[in-house]
Amino acid sequence: MRIVLLGAPGSGKGTQAALLIEELGLPHISTGELLRSAVKSGSELGMKAKAVMDRGELVSDDIMLGLLEERLSLADAKTGFILDGYPRNLAQARALDELLARLDQPVDEALQIDIDVDMVVTRIAKRALEEGRSDDTEEVVRNRMKVYFDQTAPVVDFYVQKGVLSRVLGQGTIEEVFQRLKGVLQMRTES
Ligand code: B4P
């Protein structure tokens, strides 16, 4: 099964992906994590990406597609995956669609986690204290939210038109959100 997880920064995409991979036995492909590993490795790509991420903006579509293609070519992604953090704009959604059509592996389910902006700010402020991510400062989070509403929110309609989008409420405990997501996936596999 090929699943795309959509939602604002702090909506719980990474958190829920970690639970879903255990439940479904699929690999978790997080473009945020791919970028953070590139930054840690000190590569040229990583250094370029860090500057962009620290401003809360989106890394260029070319870099992202290259990273994603490389990751999807690994053997574990052949039977399915949970993609978290990609696509983040319409150009990325179209590029993913073309890439997966070439591989004859279309997206089966796009899961949108809906959340209130105030809740996001509280969650990310908490993570900033716990993990110290350089893009979790209040000013950068505000910019990430703006980028989300300007560029990422239209991706939802792209998947509505493909007939694969489901929306889930991201409020409540991590377990409550997880049960909602599982319910949606169950309905999809039964239909
Ligand atoms: P990401 O790593 O995708 O960052 P994110 O949007 O904050 O999501 P994340 O998955 O980490 O957090 P989650 O909501 O699970 O991207 C970081 C940056 O990388 C982007 O800003 C961009 O610059 C770049 N990037 C990534 N992909 C890109 C792409 N495709 N194109 C271009 N650039 C790209 O969790 C947040 C917090 O909430 C956690 O601390 C968690 O514990 C907590 N939480 C989750 N669910 C909760 C719940 N139900 N209750 C209470 N707390 C909860």
Side-chain angles (χ1 to χ4, degrees):
M1 191 172 207
R2 288 165 295 275
I3 301 172
V4 168
L5 271 183
L6 303 169
S11 58
K13 298 184 303 289
T15 308
Q16 295 300 329
L19 297 172
L20 287 168
I21 54 166
E22 267 189 41
E23 178 78 17
L24 304 171
L26 294 171
H28 176 197
I29 303 182
S30 156
T31 47
E33 287 300 329
L34 289 176
L35 288 169
R36 283 187 284 278
S37 324
V39 171
K40 238 191 224 157
S41 76
S43 67
E44 198 185 327
L45 184 152
M47 291 304 102
K48 268 194 210 157
K50 181 173 177 10
V52 179
M53 291 164 81
D54 284 352
R55 293 195 300 270
E57 288 164 12
L58 296 182
V59 174
S60 84
D61 292 344
D62 288 357
I63 291 183
M64 293 316 303
L65 188 62
L67 272 179
L68 186 68
E69 270 198 81
E70 198 177 292
R71 180 62 187 86
L72 288 178
S73 70
L74 300 185
D76 66 343
K78 299 290 172 228
T79 51
F81 49 79
I82 297 178
L83 187 53
D84 152 22
Y86 192 102
R88 265 191 155 82
N89 59 30
L90 277 176
Q92 291 187 2
R94 293 191 189 109
L96 177 67
D97 204 44
E98 279 167 28
L99 173 63
L100 295 180
R102 255 190 281 135
L103 301 172
D104 199 19
Q105 295 183 346
V107 167
D108 298 302
E109 182 71 44
L111 296 169
Q112 160 76 3
I113 306 180
D114 284 322
I115 189 140
D116 190 271
V117 175
D118 290 343
M119 187 139 314
V120 162
V121 174
T122 313
R123 281 185 189 176
I124 294 187
K126 184 164 173 269
R127 183 170 68 185
L129 288 176
E130 289 164 1
E131 296 177 21
R133 244 171 71 174
S134 56
D135 61 346
D136 276 347
T137 61
E138 195 182 332
E139 195 191 341
V140 177
V141 170
R142 272 186 214 291
N143 196 35
R144 284 164 61 195
M145 291 308 287
K146 183 179 178 322
V147 168
Y148 173 77
F149 286 111
D150 290 349
Q151 301 188 45
T152 312
V155 170
V156 170
D157 280 340
F158 180 88
Y159 288 110
V160 168
Q161 277 161 30
K162 297 215 160 275
V164 294
L165 187 100
S166 301
R167 308 183 88 109
V168 158
L169 184 66
Q171 252 132 283
T173 65
I174 291 172
E175 183 58 27
E176 282 165 352
V177 180
F178 180 52
Q179 292 304 327
R180 285 178 206 138
L181 288 167
K182 273 202 327 185
V184 164
L185 290 173
Q186 212 163 352
M187 279 197 314
R188 180 73 72 181
T189 44
E190 283 167 8
S191 67

